[in-house]
Amino acid sequence: MASLWLTRSASRARLRHSLSSSLSIISSSSSSSPTTITSPNFITRLSHLFPDFENSRHHFNVSKKNLSLLSNFRPGIAWISTSSGVADNSGKGDQNNKNVAGGPSWIDVYLPRGVQPYAKLARLDKPIGTWLLAWPCMWSITLASTPGQLPDFKMAALFGCGALLLRGAGCTVNDLLDRDIDTMVERTKLRPLASGLLTPFQGICFLGFQLLLGLGILLQLNNYSRVLGASSLLLVFSYPLTKRFTFWPQAYLGLTFNWGALLGWSAVKGSLDPAIVFPLYFSGVFWTLVYDTIYAHQDKEDDLKVGVKSTALRFGDSTKEWTTGFGIACISSLALSGYNADIGWPYYAFLAAASGQLAWQIWTVNLTCQADCNRKFLSNKWFGALIFSGILFGRVF
């Protein structure tokens, strides 16, 4: 027994010594300067297209905090979400107004390091923008379908991919034009272009790649829709500039984001029916004025310092009254579009449910709490889903 005890003690001692040696090696290697690898000539020529992590002003170092986040990481819905990174544990008042990093996204975990900045530039980790862009397209495609039949799934899939690409391209354009402003705003200062992780040239190259893929989708539509779709690029490229000149950039975003309400109908029918698609389009514009005004309240203090404008600053304490008016206009326009399309009664039942969801957003949002503004903004994907469900069931039945 004594010999067995001595053997176990010696094993534990050797194990502790081995672990201590390993930790010291890791510590010394992490504190030393990174090894420089000389690339072949053909890689050197392309090196300007890859992110410069070492020269980024805000790149993430492997610290104890980041290691603890990664060690606690469990893949799931909580991480692969539409959150913009605003966290709030209690949801009470101004003490929770600061953005809190919610941990690594699926991009940080699953994508190669060189690809991560481009994926973040396209906001692939925040799909809410894609949802908000795609829903008006789906409304229009479904409304244009033959009564009693399901919508064209191929067309819906094309527009879904198009929404993902165009939303990403819009984010790239926005970040290229706003990179100097983004460095002064707490919520946006870590974006790839603002932080210096990507150069403007890399951003422009990526934008060209996104537009090329979008062109491939556009060319699969009819000629009328090709011209109509291409004309939306004027809105996409000019939108980021509007916040410098007017307090109504949210209205301009509404004109841009809801272009799919026109394009979806024309892709199915080959032309536009103004009595149906114009009320549908303007309902989307009013809807955007609701959700993006709520969203803009997250940045109102930084916007004042930087000197950019928004409806959040324009409306101030009257925001809920203004957004209530926009909500009523949105629902009324949707009702008019459905009436002119001679849609079935299930549409109006879902429209009533969507009205309740929109009213809940407007009257329960805490405009002084960034986290609550973000939660209400994210909930708009369900408003879009309710309208889509109403159009689908109204057409099928």
Side-chain angles (χ1 to χ4, degrees):
M1 290 297 291
S3 62
L4 179 60
W5 181 82
L6 289 173
T7 302
R8 289 179 177 175
S9 300
S11 298
R12 291 191 189 101
R14 283 196 297 270
L15 180 59
R16 284 195 295 269
H17 177 73
S18 176
L19 288 173
S20 300
S21 301
S22 299
L23 289 173
S24 65
I25 291 171
I26 292 171
S27 175
S28 62
S29 64
S30 64
S31 62
S32 62
S33 59
T35 303
T36 303
I37 300 176
T38 305
S39 303
N41 289 335
F42 72 96
I43 294 180
T44 303
R45 295 191 196 102
L46 296 177
S47 62
H48 60 280
L49 291 178
F50 294 90
D52 183 5
F53 287 92
E54 296 302 324
N55 293 328
S56 170
R57 281 173 284 181
H58 299 289
H59 71 279
F60 290 100
N61 293 316
V62 181
S63 62
K64 291 182 179 179
K65 180 179 179 181
N66 289 337
L67 284 174
S68 66
L69 284 171
L70 288 171
S71 65
N72 294 326
F73 174 72
R74 298 291 184 273
I77 295 174
W79 292 102
I80 306 174
S81 69
T82 57
S83 173
S84 66
V86 179
D88 179 23
N89 294 327
S90 64
K92 296 179 182 178
D94 297 333
Q95 62 186 5
N96 299 301
N97 277 351
K98 293 184 179 180
N99 296 339
V100 180
S105 71
W106 66 268
I107 289 176
D108 301 304
V109 177
Y110 296 111
L111 294 187
R113 194 182 186 197
V115 177
Q116 290 176 13
Y118 294 103
K120 291 180 179 180
L121 183 59
R123 311 286 199 277
L124 294 184
D125 55 337
K126 300 171 184 176
I128 181 61
T130 303
W131 282 116
L132 297 177
L133 187 63
W135 279 131
C137 305
M138 302 306 166
W139 299 349
S140 188
I141 291 170
T142 309
L143 198 59
S145 62
T146 304
Q149 296 183 11
L150 292 171
D152 187 335
F153 288 108
K154 178 185 176 182
M155 193 66 67
L158 280 176
F159 273 77
C161 293
L164 180 66
L165 289 170
L166 187 60
R167 188 268 179 136
C171 290
T172 304
V173 172
N174 184 80
D175 287 8
L176 281 167
L177 295 176
D178 284 355
R179 61 186 184 275
D180 294 331
I181 294 176
D182 285 344
T183 60
M184 297 182 280
V185 178
E186 184 67 25
R187 186 178 56 84
T188 61
K189 66 181 182 181
L190 294 181
R191 287 177 176 175
L193 287 168
S195 66
L197 198 57
L198 292 177
T199 66
F201 178 75
Q202 290 171 322
I204 291 171
C205 290
F206 183 55
L207 175 62
F209 174 70
Q210 291 172 300
L211 293 178
L212 185 63
L213 293 178
L215 178 62
I217 292 178
L218 188 63
L219 291 178
Q220 298 183 57
L221 307 181
N222 56 57
N223 290 333
Y224 187 95
S225 300
R226 291 174 185 174
V227 175
L228 186 63
S231 62
S232 68
L233 291 179
L234 177 63
L235 294 170
V236 172
F237 279 89
S238 58
Y239 160 68
L241 301 174
T242 57
K243 65 175 70 73
R244 294 167 169 82
F245 306 110
T246 177
F247 281 101
W248 293 87
Q250 280 68 31
Y252 203 85
L253 179 67
L255 297 173
T256 307
F257 245 53
N258 294 280
W259 200 257
L262 305 176
L263 191 59
W265 182 280
S266 72
V268 175
K269 298 289 190 181
S271 61
L272 293 178
D273 185 340
I276 297 174
V277 296
F278 283 179
L280 186 69
Y281 176 58
F282 286 110
S283 72
V285 175
F286 291 125
W287 177 40
T288 304
L289 277 164
V290 173
Y291 68 67
D292 207 52
T293 297
I294 293 174
Y295 185 79
H297 271 274
Q298 295 179 93
D299 300 329
K300 57 190 175 185
E301 293 181 3
D302 288 322
D303 289 346
L304 280 172
K305 296 175 184 176
V306 176
V308 298
K309 301 174 175 64
S310 71
T311 49
L313 295 177
R314 170 65 178 81
F315 301 154
D317 294 336
S318 301
T319 291
K320 292 195 175 185
E321 288 75 12
W322 278 91
T323 50
T324 298
F326 295 140
I328 293 171
C330 170
I331 299 301
S332 300
S333 298
L334 285 168
L336 177 60
S337 179
Y339 176 80
N340 290 339
D342 196 25
I343 199 169
W345 65 266
Y347 171 71
Y348 299 100
F350 279 94
L351 185 60
S355 303
Q357 200 278 341
L358 200 61
W360 166 78
Q361 284 186 59
I362 294 170
W363 288 104
T364 64
V365 63
N366 181 358
L367 296 173
T368 64
C369 177
Q370 289 183 345
D372 194 45
C373 288
N374 188 61
R375 277 194 293 268
K376 297 303 190 295
F377 169 72
L378 294 176
S379 74
N380 280 279
K381 61 181 177 286
W382 301 116
F383 176 87
L386 285 169
I387 299 300
F388 171 74
S389 300
I391 296 174
L392 179 63
F393 284 104
R395 269 290 181 244
V396 171
F397 298 107

